[in-house]
Amino acid sequence: MNTPLDTTLAHLPGTPCYLNGQYGPVRDAKVSVLDRGFIFGDGVYEVLPVYGGKIFRFVQHMARLQRSLAELRIINPLASAEWLAIARRLIQSQIDGGGSVNQLVYIQITRGVAVRDHVMPSGLTPTVFVMVSDMKLPTPAMREQGVACVTADDFRWEKAHIKSTSLLGAVFSRQISADAGALETVMFRDGMLSEGAASNVWVVKNGQLMGPPNDHLVLEGIRFSLLEDICRERGIPFELRRITRAEVLDADELLLSSATKEVLPITQLDGVPVGTGQPGPVYASLYAGYQQAKTTQSI
């Protein structure tokens, strides 16, 4: 059962992590094969962006983590102050080890270890895992030229609002775009826009920013409320509603948002230019507002 470390784990990063109260290199972290996260994907995760060593929108990320845990009937094992302390210790350790001041903090909580049974057992101790990695932001060329995406039907389950570790549907969806040499897959459910494999998708028409409603069919990105705030500050009309595929294909601008992409223009969809085929004015305004928010909403 034992395999030499140099043949299986040596290629993994030595970046710092936290696992069930212990700190150490991520390559040395281990969990039971009977952990329900491993067996069933029975857990949730959250990703916190870090700029200049400070966590962006920490309170909003903690609120979404709590919502996901509640959906799975898992009690949050730590208070917000404890999560913050763990994240800050790992961030500083990464910086001290020569890492970037711009990072991602990945949090994962599973129901815990139990004999395999589909029914949710009670009384388990959740498995708590946190790691950090340097953040890879979009390149200047991607911002100047925009990115290409493809479309696909949304074949995932109907609880997309849970940030679940059960991500095989997202893996398949993202592979569609990877196989096509595109950055992301824009998905539709019954002819209506849902989201990307790892992004929220936004439509701009006649100067208005529109996105799908916050319901069980999409994951509410932390940027939902952020972009709404930026729109309010900059006089950009904002609306959440059902958006048809025809409206997406007729958009003046299409945008992606996520922790790593921030806000990013789609300038080609299924090989066809979006609008003028160049990043548009609404994107430029939102991106500028986003950069300002990073300086005021990080702790």
Side-chain angles (χ1 to χ4, degrees):
M1 293 289 292
N2 293 323
T3 304
L5 178 66
D6 60 353
T7 62
T8 61
L9 302 179
H11 66 288
L12 296 177
T15 50
C17 77
Y18 169 98
L19 178 62
N20 296 333
Q22 301 295 319
Y23 293 88
V26 71
R27 68 165 64 100
D28 296 336
K30 297 177 178 64
V31 296
S32 169
V33 294
L34 288 179
D35 190 283
R36 286 179 64 91
F38 177 73
I39 295 290
F40 293 116
D42 186 2
V44 301
Y45 74 103
E46 192 61 49
V47 181
L48 286 60
V50 176
Y51 300 104
K54 295 183 178 181
I55 303 170
F56 184 53
R57 306 206 100 199
F58 174 78
V59 173
Q60 291 85 349
H61 279 283
M62 287 294 103
R64 186 172 66 180
L65 177 64
Q66 182 59 49
R67 290 196 298 271
S68 294
L69 287 169
E71 288 281 353
L72 268 65
R73 306 182 195 177
I74 298 175
I75 296 175
N76 195 331
L78 298 172
S80 288
E82 294 174 298
W83 287 117
L84 182 59
I86 293 168
R88 283 178 167 168
R89 175 168 171 173
L90 293 175
I91 291 165
Q92 191 58 52
S93 179
Q94 178 76 339
I95 293 173
D96 292 345
S100 171
V101 295
N102 299 327
Q103 302 174 30
L104 294 174
V105 178
Y106 176 88
I107 295 172
Q108 178 169 307
I109 305 166
T110 76
R111 196 174 305 279
V113 179
V115 174
R116 188 181 186 278
D117 186 351
H118 284 74
V119 175
M120 298 176 180
S122 60
L124 299 184
T125 299
T127 298
V128 178
F129 173 65
V130 188
M131 68 176 176
V132 291
S133 59
D134 289 350
M135 186 191 302
K136 297 179 181 179
L137 291 167
T139 65
M142 293 167 69
R143 298 220 170 274
E144 293 170 5
Q145 301 168 17
V147 298
C149 294
V150 296
T151 63
D153 289 335
D154 192 341
F155 44 76
R156 304 166 306 158
W157 70 329
E158 293 187 353
K159 287 188 177 291
H161 64 296
I162 302 173
K163 201 167 177 66
S164 165
T165 57
S166 302
L167 288 172
L168 189 57
V171 169
F172 275 123
S173 178
R174 179 63 185 91
Q175 192 62 44
I176 291 171
S177 54
D179 290 343
L183 183 74
E184 179 61 294
T185 303
V186 175
M187 294 185 287
F188 296 87
R189 194 188 297 264
D190 298 325
M192 298 292 177
L193 175 66
S194 56
E195 57 190 349
S199 318
N200 290 119
V201 182
W202 301 89
V203 176
V204 177
K205 189 66 178 180
N206 298 326
Q208 180 182 41
L209 183 69
M210 297 175 288
N214 283 330
D215 59 18
H216 64 287
L217 298 179
V218 300
L219 177 66
E220 180 185 350
I222 299 301
R223 274 130 291 278
F224 264 65
S225 59
L226 174 60
L227 291 182
E228 183 175 10
D229 290 344
I230 295 172
C231 284
R232 186 182 304 111
E233 295 166 358
R234 293 174 172 260
I236 299 171
F238 178 91
E239 183 181 14
L240 298 181
R241 63 170 176 81
R242 297 286 179 219
I243 301 172
T244 67
R245 183 184 183 98
E247 289 179 289
V248 172
L249 299 181
D250 189 47
D252 297 329
E253 301 177 45
L254 293 177
L255 311 175
L256 300 172
S257 68
S258 72
T260 54
K261 300 176 185 70
E262 298 180 348
V263 57
L264 190 64
I266 302 172
T267 50
Q268 187 179 98
L269 187 65
D270 289 338
V272 178
V274 175
T276 64
Q278 297 294 323
V282 172
Y283 159 71
S285 184
L286 293 174
Y287 179 68
Y290 198 111
Q291 303 316 300
Q292 291 179 0
K294 285 159 56 173
T295 66
T296 60
Q297 299 186 35
S298 299
I299 62 173

